[in-house]
Amino acid sequence: MSVGVLLALCLAARQGAAREVTVPIRMDLAFVRQALVEQLYTGPGEKAALWNDGVGCGWLELYQPGIDVVDGKLRIVSRGDARIGTSVGSKCLVALDWKGFVEVFEEPQLNPETRSITFKVVNSNIYDEKHEKRFFTGKLWDLVKKYVHPRLETLHIDLTQPFDELKAWLPLVLPGSQEQIEKLLASLSVRDPRLADSELAVTLAFDVEPRAATAAPTPEPTLSPAELAA
């Protein structure tokens, strides 16, 4: 990233007027999945315990998430395990035992205040163990909407560290006055989060002032015939 930023700065500085420079920052899906596991699937075997009734008659768990990009959206497919029942004395009246997969589609968004990429759930599906879509009870859907959607929307990619590192690095390589450097740093922004080609990307933008024109050297006066003869 630093090389690309430096080249962009050099090219912009040669222009005749101040201009905005944009530089793409790309993160592969392995990085995104690592953030997903570290933030949400923190239990043994990459498990996310989303709901438990506390008496052993009901729970919802997801584990071993896989991610990819489909139509510009992040698709998260997790194995799932759920039971819905009612405690009667020392026993449970089980209404549903389910094992299968939960598929969730999310769109990336930008939180400019925290300089982080967040995600909004836009669709989801429930499958059985054969990855076939069947009719499932409303109670299972209610659990998914109540506990899975909000949990997966807490996924975030923090850009504060690379942003601060860039702010510390630019003054070391950028020519110009302290005032010009401060203007550039003040203009730094992140925008346009997007998913494509198995990557998560954002655009870093900043304004660059042109370099001051270098005064041309004064030409030497032409020698007179007498001076040439001498």
Side-chain angles (χ1 to χ4, degrees):
M1 178 180 67
S2 60
V3 174
V5 174
L6 183 56
L7 289 174
L9 286 168
C10 292
L11 290 173
R14 293 174 183 171
Q15 304 299 318
R19 65 183 292 261
E20 182 183 66
V21 176
T22 59
V23 179
I25 300 176
R26 298 183 176 91
M27 293 155 275
D28 60 33
L29 290 186
F31 175 81
V32 178
R33 186 184 186 279
Q34 180 182 357
L36 178 68
V37 171
E38 290 178 351
Q39 295 173 26
L40 307 179
Y41 293 74
T42 56
E46 297 181 345
K47 181 174 69 175
L50 301 177
W51 170 72
N52 193 302
D53 66 358
V55 296
C57 287
W59 63 79
L60 172 61
E61 298 175 343
L62 298 182
Y63 46 96
Q64 298 175 357
I67 67 173
D68 60 1
V69 176
V70 177
D71 296 331
K73 299 176 181 62
L74 182 69
R75 182 175 70 163
I76 304 173
V77 180
S78 308
R79 290 183 175 274
D81 183 0
R83 170 177 285 186
I84 300 174
T86 302
S87 177
V88 179
S90 60
K91 297 183 178 180
C92 290
L93 296 179
V94 178
L96 173 70
D97 256 327
W98 168 81
K99 291 183 183 294
F101 298 86
V102 174
E103 177 184 57
V104 175
F105 294 88
E106 296 189 317
E107 290 182 342
Q109 299 179 330
L110 185 66
N111 185 331
E113 295 181 358
T114 60
R115 292 199 184 109
S116 63
I117 302 172
T118 59
F119 296 86
K120 178 178 176 59
V121 173
V122 294
N123 196 12
S124 62
N125 296 297
I126 302 175
Y127 301 96
D128 63 14
E129 289 185 277
K130 296 181 179 179
H131 219 103
E132 295 179 352
K133 198 170 184 178
R134 299 182 182 274
F135 174 78
F136 295 103
T137 68
K139 290 185 177 180
L140 181 58
W141 269 111
D142 291 343
L143 288 179
V144 169
K145 292 176 182 178
K146 185 175 181 179
Y147 295 102
V148 176
H149 290 190
R151 184 70 171 270
L152 289 182
E153 285 186 342
T154 65
L155 171 64
H156 63 279
I157 307 296
D158 190 358
L159 300 174
T160 300
Q161 181 176 348
F163 198 93
D164 290 343
E165 288 176 352
L166 183 61
K167 290 183 69 174
W169 174 79
L170 284 176
L172 301 178
V173 299
L174 183 68
S177 66
Q178 184 63 31
E179 181 182 359
Q180 288 176 311
I181 294 174
E182 289 177 355
K183 285 183 179 179
L184 183 149
L185 295 177
S187 72
L188 279 172
S189 64
V190 181
R191 64 192 186 207
D192 190 25
R194 58 201 179 277
L195 285 155
D197 300 327
S198 300
E199 292 181 330
L200 172 63
V202 294
T203 297
L204 176 69
F206 46 88
D207 296 329
V208 178
E209 295 288 338
R211 288 181 180 174
T214 304
T218 303
E220 294 290 336
T222 304
L223 298 177
S224 66
E227 290 172 325
L228 287 172

